[in-house]
Amino acid sequence: MYKRKIESVLQSWLESPSHKPLVVKGVRQCGKTSSVVDFAQRHFKNVVYLDFREHPDYKKFFTPNLEVDAIIMRITAALPSVEIEAGETCFVFDEIQDCPRARGSLKYFHLDGRFEVMCTGSLLGVNGYKSAEEEAEASIPVGFEDIVDMYPMDFEEWLWANGIRSVHFDYLRKCLESEIPVEDALHERFRELLHQYVVVGGMPEVVSTFMETKQIGKVLAVQRRIVDEYKADMVKYAPSADKSRIRECFESIPAQLSREYKKFSYTVVRPGGRGRDYSGSLQWIEDAGIIRRCYNTEITELPLDGHRIRSEFKVFMADIGLLVSMLEDGTQSSILQGDLLSYNGAITENLVADILGKMGRKLYYFHKDGGVELDFLMRYRGRCTPVECKATTGNAKSMRTILTHPEKYHVASALKLGDYNTGRSGQLLTLPLYMTFMLTEV
């Protein structure tokens, strides 16, 4: 099992004297279950594990009432080998979205105080997931649960999995802070790991397949199975009227990103498509954690969220590996050889969106009809900072325009990410793409 950042989050939760039952939510197959179960087994004498997707009959443990002692009586009657002791037991409710009454019971477990409860959930809050009957009986225990988000493995976790040590991270950080080039051997190693990450992404099963076999064909098979399972969820759980539209939106993402100007267009989903017909469908995919939106802004000033244009956005896959798996065969080979600029820069742009998004950053860009376009905008070191990540010539002109007109754009410095080493030219700091995850300062 690979080291995950969620481990420190779970430890902080357990050590908090005022903690409540925990809900770890995230896209399907991002590693929630394995992380929570492993943590519970290491910290508690007894773990009572209930998977509501694999065992729908476990829902009966929470009927007809939610009294803790009554729930325990039903569980131990059905599962006699289970050991439950006050102060020594953690209940793990897996796929809790499949049993709304189990989530409702968190309030009573918290008030009871004898046991810890950890839950995992995907598709939580997604419109249409639950039946009308389940919606009626669902009661979210507001104020009685702690909720944390979990993502697929990010680039830093990928580096951990590949044996990169703290001394290497310290060295990279020194190069960033001092704005000096990374020494050649390490630069080439990090480039290689970045290219592999673009192909593999961060879904734990995909990462394991790659680490164990190094066979891209097997990696691709797992990725495409995950994508197919996402599509199956859309058909199974979405409102009937939206099923086909949700799938159409999802399947249009590679075509959306392959365009020169990547603003999401409903006419790419279907000729003549309109926002009023598809906006709810796109929201469903976003709520499921499969995609991230990147909003255009009116001006290049903070606060970025206050200046976003809600009707103008790009859509990126939350995991870069899954995007690449949706592209034509052979793309993986080109990427491993260092070509990240195909598909009109879509791969590089989605890579940066993957890294920034998994850091918890919201995504923004800047585009004006006059031709000025910046790949991303971010708050960095207290300033609105443009980020260029895919330009060879085109967007470089936009960056020069922005930097030479501070009276209009109010930008003092900018970042250029690409297949370069670290260096500075005036107001422009150039960084290798693999350093993106270190842009943590706000």
Side-chain angles (χ1 to χ4, degrees):
M1 183 171 171
Y2 301 110
K3 179 182 176 183
R4 301 296 306 272
K5 293 179 179 178
I6 194 70
E7 293 174 17
S8 61
V9 176
L10 299 180
Q11 190 66 46
S12 296
W13 164 79
L14 185 60
E15 293 174 355
S16 172
S18 59
H19 69 267
K20 303 163 186 173
L22 181 71
V23 177
V24 179
K25 68 184 185 74
V27 69
R28 284 189 62 188
Q29 303 196 43
C30 69
K32 301 183 297 296
T33 300
S34 56
S35 294
V36 167
V37 171
D38 176 70
F39 181 86
Q41 290 176 339
R42 286 187 286 110
H43 289 81
F44 297 95
K45 179 181 177 182
N46 306 307
V47 176
V48 180
Y49 175 72
L50 303 179
D51 182 342
F52 297 112
R53 174 160 291 180
E54 185 176 351
H55 297 281
D57 54 309
Y58 286 174
K59 296 178 185 180
K60 66 187 178 186
F61 299 153
F62 301 87
T63 302
N65 61 52
L66 298 178
E67 182 185 352
V68 172
D69 283 335
I71 292 172
I72 291 173
M73 181 180 67
R74 297 177 200 123
I75 291 174
T76 54
L79 307 171
S81 63
V82 165
E83 294 287 340
I84 299 177
E85 303 173 58
E88 301 284 350
T89 302
C90 178
F91 289 85
V92 175
F93 297 159
D94 199 11
E95 303 289 2
I96 197 172
Q97 75 282 345
D98 282 2
C99 183
R101 288 185 62 82
R103 191 174 183 188
S105 76
L106 300 185
K107 172 181 177 180
Y108 303 100
F109 273 98
H110 178 63
L111 294 174
D112 181 274
R114 290 176 292 164
F115 309 101
E116 300 292 355
V117 185
M118 304 176 73
C119 312
T120 74
S122 52
L123 300 178
L124 285 172
V126 168
N127 181 38
Y129 181 85
K130 296 184 286 290
S131 67
E133 179 182 350
E134 288 174 323
E135 290 283 5
E137 66 182 18
S139 176
I140 296 176
V142 177
F144 293 95
E145 62 181 9
D146 293 327
I147 301 176
V148 297
D149 290 304
M150 185 174 178
Y151 306 108
M153 292 174 70
D154 63 23
F155 182 60
E156 187 172 12
E157 291 171 320
W158 165 258
L159 294 178
W160 292 344
N162 280 275
I164 300 301
R165 303 176 183 178
S166 57
V167 64
H168 304 124
F169 290 107
D170 291 342
Y171 173 71
L172 281 189
R173 201 164 286 109
K174 176 184 175 182
C175 292
L176 172 61
E177 293 171 354
S178 303
E179 300 179 1
I180 56 176
V182 178
E183 104 51 66
D184 287 347
L186 281 175
H187 178 64
E188 289 306 314
R189 176 58 175 152
F190 281 114
R191 286 182 68 247
E192 178 186 38
L193 289 172
L194 180 80
H195 297 154
Q196 292 174 358
Y197 177 74
V198 174
V199 171
V200 176
M203 306 305 283
E205 184 182 358
V206 180
V207 173
S208 294
T209 300
F210 177 78
M211 300 297 282
E212 293 167 6
T213 71
K214 296 296 190 291
Q215 296 183 37
I216 299 304
K218 292 185 177 181
V219 166
L220 192 56
V222 176
Q223 290 170 323
R224 288 180 172 169
R225 193 201 72 226
I226 292 173
V227 169
D228 286 343
E229 289 174 1
Y230 286 170
K231 292 178 182 179
D233 281 346
M234 296 169 196
V235 172
K236 183 175 180 180
Y237 297 118
S240 297
D242 292 339
K243 291 180 189 293
S244 62
R245 291 174 180 172
I246 290 172
R247 184 160 178 162
E248 285 177 333
C249 281
F250 177 68
E251 293 179 340
S252 79
I253 292 173
Q256 302 276 358
L257 292 175
S258 298
R259 298 160 63 228
E260 182 67 31
Y261 177 39
K262 296 171 175 46
K263 173 190 170 185
F264 191 89
S265 171
Y266 294 102
T267 58
V268 174
V269 178
R270 176 185 290 182
R274 299 169 297 181
R276 66 186 183 189
D277 297 325
Y278 286 97
S279 59
S281 304
L282 194 63
Q283 186 67 48
W284 195 99
I285 308 171
E286 183 178 25
D287 289 344
I290 299 170
I291 62 171
R292 287 193 180 89
R293 296 196 208 207
C294 178
Y295 286 95
N296 193 11
T297 61
E298 296 174 340
I299 55 177
T300 52
E301 295 181 30
L302 301 178
L304 294 171
D305 201 53
H307 298 305
R308 68 171 172 163
I309 304 172
R310 294 180 180 273
S311 61
E312 295 183 20
F313 52 85
K314 304 175 187 178
V315 169
F316 296 107
M317 288 290 290
D319 184 76
I320 181 64
L322 294 187
L323 171 71
V324 173
S325 77
M326 298 168 70
L327 305 179
E328 68 182 10
D329 290 347
T331 303
Q332 294 81 2
S333 177
S334 298
I335 292 170
L336 292 174
Q337 294 174 39
D339 179 12
L340 298 181
L341 292 176
S342 56
Y343 291 90
N344 277 321
I347 295 170
T348 304
E349 210 168 335
N350 205 130
L351 168 63
V352 174
D354 170 299
I355 296 174
L356 295 179
K358 289 174 182 175
M359 291 166 64
R361 283 187 176 272
K362 294 182 179 179
L363 304 178
Y364 305 94
Y365 73 101
F366 182 70
H367 175 87
K368 289 298 179 188
D369 291 338
V372 175
E373 181 179 354
L374 302 171
D375 295 334
F376 293 96
L377 291 177
M378 62 187 289
R379 182 188 181 99
Y380 183 60
R381 295 179 176 175
R383 296 177 177 271
C384 174
T385 304
V387 179
E388 171 194 302
C389 68
K390 69 180 192 302
T392 50
T393 55
N395 278 14
K397 181 179 179 181
S398 294
M399 189 70 82
R400 287 196 299 270
T401 299
I402 294 288
L403 291 175
T404 54
H405 292 87
E407 76 289 347
K408 181 177 181 180
Y409 296 104
H410 308 286
V411 168
S413 61
L415 298 170
K416 183 177 180 180
L417 306 172
D419 193 17
Y420 323 107
N421 211 319
T422 309
R424 175 176 286 280
S425 176
Q427 300 161 285
L428 186 64
L429 175 61
T430 298
L431 297 172
L433 276 163
Y434 59 74
M435 273 193 182
T436 305
F437 77 99
M438 290 193 156
L439 300 176
T440 56
E441 293 183 64
V442 293

